[in-house]
Amino acid sequence: MEPQPAPPTLFNSLTRKAEPFVPVHAGEARVYTCGPTVYNYPHIGNMRAYVFADVLGRTLSFKGYNLSHVINITDVGHLTDDADAGEDKLEKAAKASAQSIWDIAQHYTEAYWADITALNIRQPAHWSIATDYVPQMIEFAQSIAAKHCYELPSGLYFDVASVADYGRLARAATDEGEGRIEAVDGKRQAADFAIWRKTPEGERRQMEWDSPWGRGAPGWHLECSVMSGALLGFPFDIHTGGIDHREIHHPNEIAQNQAICCTGGLDVASHSGANIWMHNNFLVERSGKMSKSSGEFLRLQLLIDKGYHPLAYRLLCLQAHYRSELEFSWEGLGAALTRLKRMVLGIEALKHRHAELVSASISPPASLSPDEGWTLKQVQGDDELMKAQGGNLQAFDEAISNDLATPEALTDIDLVLAAKKQAPAVRLRAIAAMDAVLGLNLLTLTRADLRLRPKSATFAEAEIEAILAQRKEARAAKDFARSDALRDELAAKGVEVMDGDPLGWEWRLA
Ligand code: AMP
Ligand code: ZN
């Protein structure tokens, strides 16, 4: 039998150890990612969670597993506090904007999908929408109610003492955790949470359903247990989310999963519903611009409007390990953009050289595979590639297999670009294979795509190019007075001419 690639090692928040990935179903990887609550635009911190989940999915595909990935869309049940306090985020947004809750959900879901596309995050096999699963949620609650829940006037609550090791996943001191949970009269434990919330008498919600516990809406934690179990089957392989979910949402999902899996115990890892629970650390910003309530909050669209290509933000994320906190700054984003430009510039030169060789029939027209679909097995079966770049590709594989060490993996792209003596085609193939995991679109991005291009700048590129062409002619004719005049004309339009720029740029917006 052919040797199988070594499995990746992934950090499991539940056991607090890095563990080799052992799939539940041979050859498959089933992954569930907690998705956005669609009451507002996602901020770039939220998008870090999906870049991480995407790199995980791409890594598993690269290693040869057949990936089933689910991301949910929370359009009901998430209160303004992760525990049981406050209002439903969507009901609140609907009241504030006088729009229907369904219109709000649709608008922000589409905005989120636009960010997913801009960041080159692959489509999961399923986008599961919470409101599509309400009947299944009621069924789930009915099957665990007798043994694990109790009813109060405000709804049906989960008794966390009914399962073993409740909260084992969480890191925050219990006191601190409990401090955040609003008391509800009659709760047995502070950490008990609503499975079903009844609509208070005399009120009407835009979204409500009939249930054995009265008209109302499901609790937020219930939806992820129901959708992950329905679409991936318990136990599945990996559950992901941001580290805030490690404290309340995921411990509550685990408690529900223990209940539905007919075991109060957690002695077998799979009784939590998923074998591995993975959490990305936060993107932080010191001045509070990540808060959705601040005026200029950090949406991906704001970065784009300021002229940054969205994949520069993806690269910024990859430059840090997903379990490290990452501080956002405009300088850091600018540096990531410059690094991306350097890579793209190097790749453009390789493509150019490759095309020249092909047209001169010096090297056979090797096909350039797109950035999708490469697997480690294909890499290892490509003798020419292994001969030229085997060591580098092995280092790349080791990096991503070491709990997704993207900062190290990125340096392997630089090493391919530095291998100046090797044929361009084989180097381009090595980059394509690596980019199948990194997802930076390295083979299709062009230098022009990465030009800093703020939305506020009003200029016509064709006009600039025309003036630059005249200036070239003037310089060729040694008419330096005219050349300088044309440079000034451009400066008046806010365009700086960049003679002799090491990155090969002819101009930039000043
Ligand atoms: P939400 O829409 O609030 O449910 O959050 C969507 C995802 O973003 C969840 O996985 C959160 O854990 C994650 N998240 C929230 N804030 C940040 C942040 N600042 N950095 C990274 N991930 C975050
Ligand atoms: Zn969730």
Side-chain angles (χ1 to χ4, degrees), residues 34 224 249 253:
C34 282
C224 285
H249 182 48
E253 265 190 75

Side-chain angles (χ1 to χ4, degrees), residues 89-410:
K89 289 185 176 187
L90 272 118
E91 293 274 348
K92 189 177 169 198
K95 268 188 224 150
S97 71
Q99 274 179 294
S100 98
I101 217 165
W102 303 97
D103 288 345
I104 297 219
Q106 186 178 347
H107 175 79
Y108 292 116
T109 302
E110 280 168 11
Y112 165 72
W113 281 337
D115 286 1
I116 289 282
T117 307
L119 290 169
N120 201 28
I121 290 168
R122 295 196 307 183
Q123 293 285 333
H126 297 276
W127 292 108
S128 58
I129 316 271
T131 47
D132 289 345
Y133 284 81
V134 176
Q136 288 94 320
M137 293 187 215
I138 293 174
E139 221 173 277
F140 187 115
Q142 275 179 303
S143 26
I144 63 168
K147 268 173 91 179
H148 298 278
C149 305
Y150 57 93
E151 214 175 324
L152 292 177
S154 55
L156 183 71
Y157 285 83
F158 191 95
D159 180 348
V160 298
S162 71
V163 291
D165 290 338
Y166 170 78
R168 179 166 116 182
L169 181 71
R171 298 296 164 80
T174 321
D175 290 351
E176 191 187 315
E178 286 183 0
R180 292 182 52 211
I181 298 175
E182 194 173 90
V184 171
D185 276 349
K187 269 215 247 181
R188 294 179 187 164
Q189 285 90 209
D192 291 353
F193 55 91
I195 292 268
W196 188 265
R197 282 179 301 108
K198 287 186 210 173
T199 307
E201 219 148 303
E203 264 184 43
R204 265 203 76 95
R205 292 170 49 104
Q206 285 195 42
M207 279 183 176
E208 50 181 17
W209 294 262
D210 286 322
S211 84
W213 315 282
R215 210 164 160 70
W220 171 44
H221 315 298
L222 184 58
E223 68 177 66
C224 285
S225 283
V226 168
M227 293 188 287
S228 61
L231 290 163
L232 299 174
F234 289 133
F236 57 93
D237 296 301
I238 306 175
H239 194 309
T240 82
I243 39 164
D244 53 336
H245 287 351
R246 208 178 52 192
E247 306 307 318
I248 296 175
H249 182 48
H250 289 173
N252 291 354
E253 265 190 75
I254 288 175
Q256 294 167 155
N257 296 351
Q258 284 173 269
I260 200 82
C261 294
C262 295
T263 164
L266 240 192
D267 44 335
V268 178
S270 63
H271 291 171
S272 74
N275 279 345
I276 302 185
W277 292 74
M278 293 178 75
H279 296 98
N280 64 278
N281 209 324
F282 265 30
L283 179 81
V284 295
E285 207 269 338
R286 303 285 158 200
S287 63
K289 294 254 172 63
M290 201 88 79
S291 152
K292 294 187 183 181
S293 55
S294 78
E296 192 187 60
F297 91 81
L298 284 170
R299 284 176 58 190
L300 189 65
Q301 189 58 47
L302 178 71
L303 275 49
I304 297 169
D305 289 349
K306 286 192 188 273
Y308 295 89
H309 196 283
L311 291 174
Y313 176 67
R314 184 176 174 108
L315 178 56
L316 183 76
C317 292
L318 301 185
Q319 287 181 157
H321 189 260
Y322 76 90
R323 289 201 290 123
S324 309
E325 193 173 78
L326 170 60
E327 183 167 355
F328 177 81
S329 70
W330 292 104
E331 293 73 29
L333 182 65
L337 181 67
T338 301
R339 183 171 184 192
L340 190 57
K341 273 181 196 167
R342 280 191 190 279
M343 289 195 247
V344 167
L345 200 67
I347 292 161
E348 279 192 342
L350 276 182
K351 284 199 263 188
H352 195 73
R353 181 92 190 101
H354 175 69
E356 273 177 5
L357 292 175
V358 170
S359 66
S361 304
I362 292 173
S363 77
S367 66
L368 295 179
S369 301
D371 71 339
E372 295 270 344
W374 272 92
T375 62
L376 188 58
K377 227 173 178 173
Q378 275 174 296
V379 167
Q380 289 169 343
D382 184 332
D383 292 340
E384 189 194 13
L385 182 60
M386 287 307 283
K387 197 156 163 255
Q389 284 289 329
N392 208 3
L393 282 155
Q394 190 184 336
F396 178 84
D397 175 41
E398 281 168 12
I400 54 151
S401 302
N402 178 17
D403 196 26
L404 316 177
T406 50
E408 285 77 30
L410 279 168

Side-chain angles (χ1 to χ4, degrees), residues 36-94:
T37 306
V38 285
Y39 72 105
N40 201 338
Y41 296 105
H43 56 54
I44 54 172
N46 297 134
M47 296 315 293
R48 185 183 186 200
Y50 307 109
V51 169
F52 149 64
D54 184 51
V55 171
L56 171 67
R58 284 169 176 271
T59 298
L60 292 165
S61 300
F62 183 71
K63 299 289 263 183
Y65 301 99
N66 187 3
L67 176 72
S68 305
H69 191 187
V70 175
I71 307 182
N72 74 289
I73 303 285
T74 296
D75 55 357
V76 67
H78 194 171
L79 301 193
T80 42
D81 186 292
D82 275 2
D84 282 322
E87 274 180 272
D88 185 295
K89 289 185 176 187
L90 272 118
E91 293 274 348
K92 189 177 169 198

